[in-house]
Amino acid sequence: MDYDVIIVGGGVVGCAIARELSRYRLNLLLLDKEHDVARGASGRNSGVVHSGVQVPPGSLKAKLNIAGSKQFPKLCRELGVPWRRVGKLIVAQHKSELAKLTQMLGTGKKSGIADLKLLDKPQLKQLEPHINGIAALYSQGEAIFSPYMLNIALAENAKQNGVHIKLNTRVVGIKRLENKFKLATDNGSYTSRYVVNSAGVWADKLAQMAGITGYRIYPCRGEYRVLDKACAKMINSMVYPVPVAGYGGLGIHLTPTIDGNILIGPSAEYVKGREDYRTTGPVLNKLYREALQLLPAIDRRDFIAAYAGIRSKLCRPGSSRFTDFMICEEPKLKGFINLVGIESPGLSAAPAIAKHVGKLIAKGLKLAPNPDFNPRRKVETRLDNLSGELVCRCEQVTRREVLAAINNPLGASSLSAIKYRCRAGMGRCQGGYCLPRIVDMLRETSNEEITFHGPGSHMFIGATKELLKCS
Amino acid sequence: MQLKRELMVIGGGPAGLAAAVAARRAGVRDILLIEREDCLGGILNQCIHNGFGREIFKESLTGPEYAQIFIEQVQLSDIECWTGTLVTELTAGKRIIAANSRGLHRICAQAVILSMGCRERTRAAVDIPGTRPAGIYTAGVAQNFINLRNLMPGKRFIILGSGDIGLIMARRLTLEGAEVLGVLEKLPYPGGLPRNITQCLEDFNIPLYLKHTVTDIHGKHRVSGVSIAKVGPRGGILPGTTRKLACDTLLLSVGLIPENELSKAAGIKLDRLTGGPLVDETGQTNIPGIYACGNVLHVYDIVDQLTKEAEAVGRAAACYIKAGQSQLPLLRVQAGSGIKYVVPQQISAPGKRLLSFRVDTPGQNKYIVIKSGRKIIKRQIKQRVNPPELIQLEVNLPELSPGNIIKVELK
């Protein structure tokens, strides 16, 4: 099939673009090499809608961040993604950091963020009795949400509105034909007038396939720890340290999640592997130590999981230079839109990035409204479901919810795909209770191999007793 | 609609079954036993090895056989059981909310027995860095897949932790045709019972690496190997001792946590040392009429002991229902030097009282000293003490002077 636009990469940016373009009568295809969407940085971050206070005013990052974050309430409502304003505190621990807070207040005001204020120690204590600090910058408007839930919801809504989504499909070559592109993949080849490169940490490599050199992504890993829901009451807002120049991230912070956990992290460490999602002993210890500085009440026993994500940085290791998002239609390759270096605040900016890319495409394609476009995703609300057999005890997930996750519209089948959709297995026992039950449900519905996160990650090697017969 | 019962038992494993039957025999008519699985018996259903029942029945039964005896007693006593039902909420007023395929149920009772058992500690609890591939299982989950679901999780295993489940699984995996490269224990002594070391490891030539731990997990999609290293006297990794072992599965047997989320939400006070509720000699928690027994209280090593004590708790709950009240604790019982924990943590009434405790390190020719205030009330020599083996001693407390502290020490 000949497509109008092929989007490469099913992260939050790619899926937001797909959904945005599905407002128009276009033939759209989204490709991702993984077995599900949200497998890269989009599913591995703090889940925060930033207001824009941490980026330099006037930059593309600031512009798209501020515009994007304003779209969140409506977007999340349409897609049925829980979202909550909790506010963000940037907490000074020492007098030497006070000047930086004042400076950030100034920057924020310049960027047009109205609801910023400085808190003194008593005000900070009143808001966050468990947090250590002498003063804080409070940004009331900032919100939390589940980043992979938004990513999945965007993809599902895009699909509902006619976007073709092919998972397990890796682009291996890009050829320029007369007025279109031919994308060779390990799962067929596809042609299209426009190509949107939202390949995240692989965006420079994908651009290279199209002959565009000059971009270079430096993968920068961030590790996280997850705290038990029992700790939820320890903080009300997001709590950040005062940023240190050259750190490569926002500093190790505490983020309440929409589901009631607290995240500690992320660290920032340049690594070679673009998908080297390892956690490491020294960093995990560092996360614990630095989190204790902010929140001394943390107990080691309350850690329930750890994970890592990779930032796609344009800024080379050792440099503290600010690098902006690179979003453009390549002047030398009309129809090829590159999005490179979409690191934080890419998630907050995603809705605005999608509109921005829509405008770039409108220059070359006639965008007629899709009369069937429905911005609302069909979702079942949790409360209706709570009566019924509970499959996951920690997160109180019912059989019906797990079944809905198994039969998800994208057809992603793995234990992770189920976990990300209904939270079964994300609680304190990390699947000890629900895993056998979910495996039973999967075996009842299909004969497919049960994997942890797609091809190669098989959970079992066969039947116990058959194995005995063979050996 | 709210249902009413005299006694509710939460959890239908060995503790809940024994407590329910004992309460019935002590005259409680109206009992509801709630179990989240579709059948009664709890974790015993997946423990298909034998060795259960030696103390009570003087023979070696398998887990399902042992459980079946009590399941039949429950059925013969005509105790109402709701299986496939999960209790989602418990209040100090002894009201619960339970969910099952028929919907949500609100039930209140005069007394409640908590017998929810325990859960396994996970990778995060022991902080193993590395990748997150398929092939990392807790020992109990692997046992469930192999024994109840006929699913084999892997071929080449490393087992971290020498607790009893890890040892039992080393043997089971070998019997099922898998290769167990070794069992690693970070402490200088094994975490499981000596008989399991002999019967599960030595008899099958499975190496036990004491003072070793897993420092890294490798593999992107499926475990491809783990790094292991020696552990120094202070618990740190000894530099230069790290080596990589190729395997496809890592089994974690790194401890059990009494399952007390319901208890906490109801305002029941927990002991940091056991992870279970603070109880008196009758198993009563700080909320009068709410009792705890079995692994929810502290993790037992032999089910026979657990059964006997759960029966006593069932009888105590029956007394409470009859009397409509119970005695309040007068004395505290504390773990002194060399002792990991003691249960019960409180004493409410004078008489002969059984104290259960564990030492924190193995030793030989040690004195167990039990003091009431400054006065030594019991002194006993033990040729061998070992943390995996629960020690039980009876003390006679003819009178209680309120506020006094009973302390168990190892000398």
Side-chain angles (χ1 to χ4, degrees), chain A residues 226-456:
Chain A
V226 185
L227 278 174
D228 194 305
K229 282 184 171 176
C231 307
K233 291 200 174 107
M234 286 184 187
I235 54 172
N236 302 305
S237 349
M238 301 168 229
V239 181
Y240 285 63
V242 173
V244 179
Y247 177 73
L250 302 171
I252 289 167
H253 49 261
L254 306 168
T255 313
T257 73
I258 196 78
D259 300 298
N261 300 93
I262 296 176
L263 300 178
I264 301 174
S267 54
E269 179 195 5
Y270 282 97
V271 289
K272 278 203 187 112
R274 291 167 186 245
E275 289 178 1
D276 184 356
Y277 297 124
R278 264 183 295 182
T279 53
T280 60
V283 172
L284 290 179
N285 283 334
K286 180 181 146 108
L287 294 182
Y288 178 50
R289 279 200 316 270
E290 293 198 12
L292 275 181
Q293 300 269 312
L294 288 168
L295 183 60
I298 294 173
D299 186 329
R300 272 198 110 98
R301 297 193 219 186
D302 290 324
F303 294 133
I304 63 163
Y307 64 94
I310 306 267
R311 305 176 182 85
S312 0
K313 285 199 161 291
L314 287 170
C315 171
R316 65 176 71 242
S319 158
S320 58
R321 185 174 62 95
F322 169 76
T323 51
D324 212 345
F325 292 155
M326 298 291 294
I327 302 175
C328 66
E329 182 176 356
E330 288 301 326
K332 286 183 196 156
L333 197 64
K334 285 285 171 201
F336 201 91
I337 298 172
N338 272 323
L339 295 101
V340 193
I342 315 297
E343 53 164 329
S344 179
L347 195 54
S348 316
I353 294 175
K355 293 227 184 285
H356 185 76
V357 170
K359 278 181 203 153
L360 294 178
I361 287 173
K363 287 180 191 163
L365 290 179
K366 197 174 156 281
L367 300 187
N370 169 6
D372 300 327
F373 177 76
N374 179 2
R376 293 193 175 274
R377 182 180 68 124
K378 269 192 198 152
V379 273
E380 293 187 54
T381 48
R382 284 221 61 189
L383 275 176
D384 297 348
N385 283 342
L386 200 55
S387 60
E389 189 191 334
L390 292 175
V391 172
C392 166
R393 162 200 54 187
C394 305
E395 298 295 315
Q396 303 201 339
V397 187
T398 61
R399 175 170 284 272
R400 214 170 91 195
E401 289 172 316
V402 175
L403 271 177
I406 290 174
N407 301 317
N408 65 80
L410 301 183
S413 83
S414 75
L415 292 165
S416 294
I418 295 166
K419 179 169 90 170
Y420 277 54
R421 282 167 177 78
C422 68
R423 290 194 61 76
M426 278 200 180
R428 57 177 66 94
C429 87
Q430 289 286 295
Y433 180 74
C434 65
L435 182 59
R437 284 165 178 75
I438 295 173
V439 166
D440 284 350
M441 292 172 75
L442 285 169
R443 292 212 289 176
E444 279 161 24
T445 49
S446 100
N447 289 325
E448 265 180 60
E449 183 180 62
I450 297 170
T451 69
F452 182 52
H453 56 220

Side-chain angles (χ1 to χ4, degrees), chain A residues 44 225 275 277-281 284-285 299-301 303-307 386-390 393 396 419-420 428-433 435-437 439-440 443 452-453 455-468 471, chain B residues 36-38 84 86 88 99-101 103-104 119-120 122-125 127-135 137-138 141 144-147 149-155 172 175-178 216-218 220-222 248 259 261 264 272:
Chain A
R44 303 160 173 275
R225 279 183 185 272
E275 289 178 1
Y277 297 124
R278 264 183 295 182
T279 53
T280 60
L284 290 179
N285 283 334
D299 186 329
R300 272 198 110 98
R301 297 193 219 186
F303 294 133
I304 63 163
Y307 64 94
L386 200 55
S387 60
E389 189 191 334
L390 292 175
R393 162 200 54 187
Q396 303 201 339
K419 179 169 90 170
Y420 277 54
R428 57 177 66 94
C429 87
Q430 289 286 295
Y433 180 74
L435 182 59
R437 284 165 178 75
V439 166
D440 284 350
R443 292 212 289 176
F452 182 52
H453 56 220
S457 64
H458 55 281
M459 293 292 289
F460 307 102
I461 58 158
T464 309
K465 291 307 176 192
E466 268 169 23
L467 190 80
L468 188 68
S471 55
Chain B
R36 64 191 190 188
E37 297 287 336
D38 290 332
L86 191 78
T88 57
N100 60 21
S101 54
L104 279 186
R119 66 168 184 269
E120 296 181 280
T122 64
R123 176 179 177 181
D127 245 0
I128 310 170
T131 56
R132 294 205 301 163
Y137 288 89
T138 55
V141 170
N144 181 313
F145 280 127
I146 294 172
N147 294 351
R149 291 178 160 80
N150 195 28
L151 286 169
M152 198 63 188
K155 280 182 201 152
R172 171 60 45 203
L175 290 172
E176 299 299 356
D216 209 349
I217 297 172
H218 311 286
K220 186 174 178 184
H221 298 303
R222 174 83 200 192
D248 67 0
E259 187 100 80
E261 269 63 42
K264 274 189 232 171
R272 270 187 72 86

